[in-house]
């Protein structure tokens, strides 16, 4: 299962990228948009990590811990997606082209 470590690395890199982009940006609306994107990347990281850990160990304990981490990751992914979509719509409303 090579796909899950790749997803873990890519989502961690994008999470760090968006967190650094928040520090560079001065506009509050753009900062909140980047925070939503970073939250989505964190959720993807947690989901991939939970699935990867269960596929490595295949024990009942890793299943329970993986389910908890998976649920937290899913909540982060959904909330981040909704935040990013909301602030993207706000950006388009405030700055029409």
């Amino acid at each position: 299962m090579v796909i899950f470590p790749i997803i873990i690395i890519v989502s961690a890199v994008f999470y760090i990228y968006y967190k650094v982009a928040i520090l560079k940006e001065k506009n509050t609306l753009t900062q909140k948009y980047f925070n939503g994107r970073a939250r989505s990347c964190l959720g993807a990281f947690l989901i991939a990590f939970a699935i990867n850990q269960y596929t490595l160990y295949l024990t009942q304990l890793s299943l329970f811990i993986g389910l908890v981490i998976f649920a937290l990751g899913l909540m982060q992914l959904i909330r981040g997606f909704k935040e990013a979509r909301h602030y993207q719509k706000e950006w388009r409303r405030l700055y029409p082209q």
Side-chain angles (χ1 to χ4, degrees), residues 4 8 43-57 62-74:
F4 292 117
I8 290 170
F45 171 80
L46 289 174
I47 289 171
F49 182 78
I51 294 171
N52 187 43
Q53 288 303 306
Y54 178 66
T55 57
L56 282 177
Y57 297 113
S62 67
L63 174 65
F64 291 137
I65 294 171
L67 285 175
V68 170
I69 294 173
F70 185 86
L72 291 173
L74 189 62

Side-chain angles (χ1 to χ4, degrees), residues 31-94:
Q31 286 178 345
K32 290 184 179 188
Y33 171 74
F34 284 151
N35 194 29
R37 297 290 296 207
R39 192 180 300 268
S40 298
C41 293
L42 179 64
F45 171 80
L46 289 174
I47 289 171
F49 182 78
I51 294 171
N52 187 43
Q53 288 303 306
Y54 178 66
T55 57
L56 282 177
Y57 297 113
L58 296 173
T59 63
Q60 194 172 15
L61 180 63
S62 67
L63 174 65
F64 291 137
I65 294 171
L67 285 175
V68 170
I69 294 173
F70 185 86
L72 291 173
L74 189 62
M75 289 188 296
Q76 290 289 324
L77 184 70
I78 292 170
R79 183 174 174 201
F81 179 73
K82 286 181 179 180
E83 280 182 9
R85 188 175 48 172
H86 170 72
Y87 289 118
Q88 186 177 23
K89 287 179 183 177
E90 285 296 313
W91 177 267
R92 288 181 181 159
R93 186 181 64 83
L94 291 175

Side-chain angles (χ1 to χ4, degrees), residues 8-24:
I8 290 170
I9 292 170
V10 169
S11 62
V13 167
F14 276 119
Y15 176 75
I16 293 169
Y17 170 76
Y18 284 123
K19 284 298 186 178
V20 171
I22 290 171
L23 297 174
K24 291 182 179 181

